[in-house]
DNA sequence: CCGCATCCTTATAGATACTG
DNA sequence: CAGTATCTATAAGGATGCGG
C-alpha cells in the first residue's frame, strides 16, 4: 500500500494524510484508550489488573472505554463462569495491528521524558 | 537508548511502557493536536491555511491548541510585519521528532479506513 | 478579510457510593 | 470482582464581536 508519509509534501498530500489520522482518532478518541490498549499489548488482563497498571484511571472510565474498544472490535471481552465472576480482556488481531503506533509513541515518550514537562516547569519558575 | 517494546512482556515492562505513553499524551492531549501537527509536518502554514486543511475545526479551538503547542515548544509562531499582519506556524525540531509517530498513525488509519467505521455501520443496521 | 477573545451551552471526565 | 448510578467539575463547541 502507498505510504503517504513518503510522498512529496504537497498541499494535496497533506490533506490526504490528515484524514487517515482523523479516522484513526475516531476509534482511539478518549483519554484512556491508548494506555488501555498498551497494557493489553503486554498480555490478557482482568479488569482490576488493568486498573492497577494505569495510574489514576477510575473504574467508571475504564469500564466505559473498554466497552467502546470492544464495540470497535479492538478488544475482546471474555467472561469466565467462576465465583465470583472474572472477566478477561485481550487485544483482537485488529487491535494488535496498532502495535507499531504504540511502539513509536512509547519510544518518543521515553526519549523526551524530561522535555515534555519543561513547559510546566518554566511556568512555575516565573 | 533502550527500546521497551522489544523487551520481554513482563508486568514490570508493561508498567514502564504505559508511563512514557502517558507522558507523551500530556503534550498531545487535545482533540486537534495531532491533526494540527500533521498539517505542519507538511510545511509552514498560516492560521487560515491550517483551518482549511482540518475539517470541522473551529477558529477558537485552533487558536487555543496552537498556543498550547507553542508553550510546549512543539510549534513555533512567527509574526510577519505585513498589512494585514500574517502569522506563520511551523514545527520546531522537537516537533519534527514526532514524525515517526504520525507516520505510523497515518499509515494505520489508511490501511484500516473501512473497518474503523464498521462498528457505527453495524449499529445503524440494527 | 485574519487572528483571535468573550460569553454561553453542551459534552466529557472525575468523585463517591453502592450492588449482584 | 467487576462493574453502575448519581452528582459535580472540567473541557469542548457555537455564536458573536473586535481591532487591525
Amino acid at each position: 500500500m502507498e505510504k503517504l508519509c513518503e510522498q512529496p509534501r504537497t498541499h494535496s498530500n497533506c490533506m490526504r494524510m490528515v484524514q487517515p489520522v482523523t479516522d484513526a482518532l475516531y476509534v482511539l478518541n478518549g483519554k484512556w484508550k491508548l494506555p488501555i490498549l498498551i497494557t493489553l499489548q503486554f498480555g490478557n488482563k482482568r479488569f482490576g489488573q488493568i486498573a492497577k497498571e494505569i495510574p489514576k484511571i477510575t473504574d467508571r472510565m475504564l469500564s466505559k472505554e473498554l466497552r467502546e474498544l470492544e464495540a470497535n472490535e479492538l478488544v475482546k471481552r471474555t467472561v469466565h463462569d467462576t465465583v465470583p465472576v472474572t472477566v478477561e480482556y485481550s487485544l483482537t488481531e485488529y487491535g494488535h495491528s496498532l502495535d507499531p503506533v504504540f511502539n513509536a509513541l512509547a519510544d518518543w515518550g521515553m526519549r523526551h521524558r524530561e522535555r515534555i514537562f519543561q513547559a510546566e516547569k518554566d511556568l512555575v519558575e516565573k
Side-chain angles (χ1 to χ4, degrees), chain A:
Chain A
M1 185 179 303
E2 159 195 50
K3 283 224 180 194
L4 265 182
C5 54
E6 292 166 1
Q7 303 300 310
R9 307 255 141 159
T10 61
H11 173 81
S12 160
N13 279 341
C14 172
M15 304 271 283
R16 289 165 61 224
M17 187 162 171
V18 168
Q19 193 54 50
V21 171
T22 304
D23 293 349
L25 293 179
Y26 176 82
V27 289
L28 300 178
N29 149 328
K31 187 167 180 174
W32 304 100
K33 293 272 165 60
L34 269 55
I36 291 170
L37 290 169
I38 284 166
T39 69
L40 292 175
Q41 221 192 353
F42 280 80
N44 302 0
K45 300 268 168 71
R46 291 169 55 191
F47 186 92
Q49 285 179 297
I50 303 172
K52 272 180 216 155
E53 289 171 15
I54 302 176
K56 295 189 182 176
I57 194 171
T58 61
D59 285 356
R60 185 178 107 81
M61 291 312 294
L62 179 54
S63 171
K64 186 166 164 286
E65 307 232 303
L66 275 172
R67 269 182 277 111
E68 290 171 13
L69 290 168
E70 194 193 354
N72 286 318
E73 302 180 349
L74 292 164
V75 163
K76 182 163 179 284
R77 182 178 185 271
T78 310
V79 178
H80 294 286
D81 196 13
T82 54
V83 179
V85 66
T86 55
V87 183
E88 190 181 21
Y89 292 92
S90 56
L91 287 192
T92 61
E93 194 178 338
Y94 177 41
H96 269 298
S97 69
L98 280 164
D99 288 0
V101 175
F102 300 146
N103 291 340
L105 189 60
D107 187 54
W108 186 85
M110 218 165 353
R111 285 176 197 279
H112 301 281
R113 189 160 23 198
E114 289 177 21
R115 186 161 189 180
I116 288 170
F117 300 103
Q118 194 59 49
E120 195 180 28
K121 288 180 200 161
D122 292 347
L123 283 176
V124 172
E125 280 169 16
K126 276 175 192 170

